[in-house]
Amino acid sequence: MKRWLAIIRFTLGSVFGILGFGTISTAIFPFRAKIMGLGILFLVIGTFIALGTLSPLRKPKPPKSSQ
């Protein structure tokens, strides 16, 4: 179940990132600051959702023994 939840969160983060890039690209010509800010917000949210999914999936490294 944890694996499926992680896949769904990663997919959701990727979708937010794609929406963010698309929103930013539509706000460049003509320049619209509010739409650009919304695109940056989508990118930030998507990044945190996707990276928050990857962090718990990392396997901890065994501690190095000092000899």
Side-chain angles (χ1 to χ4, degrees):
M1 183 66 183
K2 273 187 172 181
R3 188 83 171 159
W4 284 106
L5 186 60
I7 291 172
I8 291 170
R9 283 183 62 193
F10 191 77
T11 305
L12 184 65
S14 298
V15 167
F16 270 113
I18 293 168
L19 282 174
F21 275 116
T23 306
I24 289 173
S25 66
T26 59
I28 293 176
F29 296 109
F31 181 73
R32 293 179 290 228
K34 290 181 183 177
I35 304 295
M36 174 103 32
L38 183 65
I40 292 171
L41 181 68
F42 276 151
L43 273 176
V44 169
I45 290 172
T47 301
F48 281 119
I49 290 174
L51 290 180
T53 303
L54 292 177
S55 299
L57 296 178
R58 292 186 189 150
K59 304 237 188 255
K61 295 180 181 177
K64 293 182 179 178
S65 60
S66 57
Q67 292 180 358

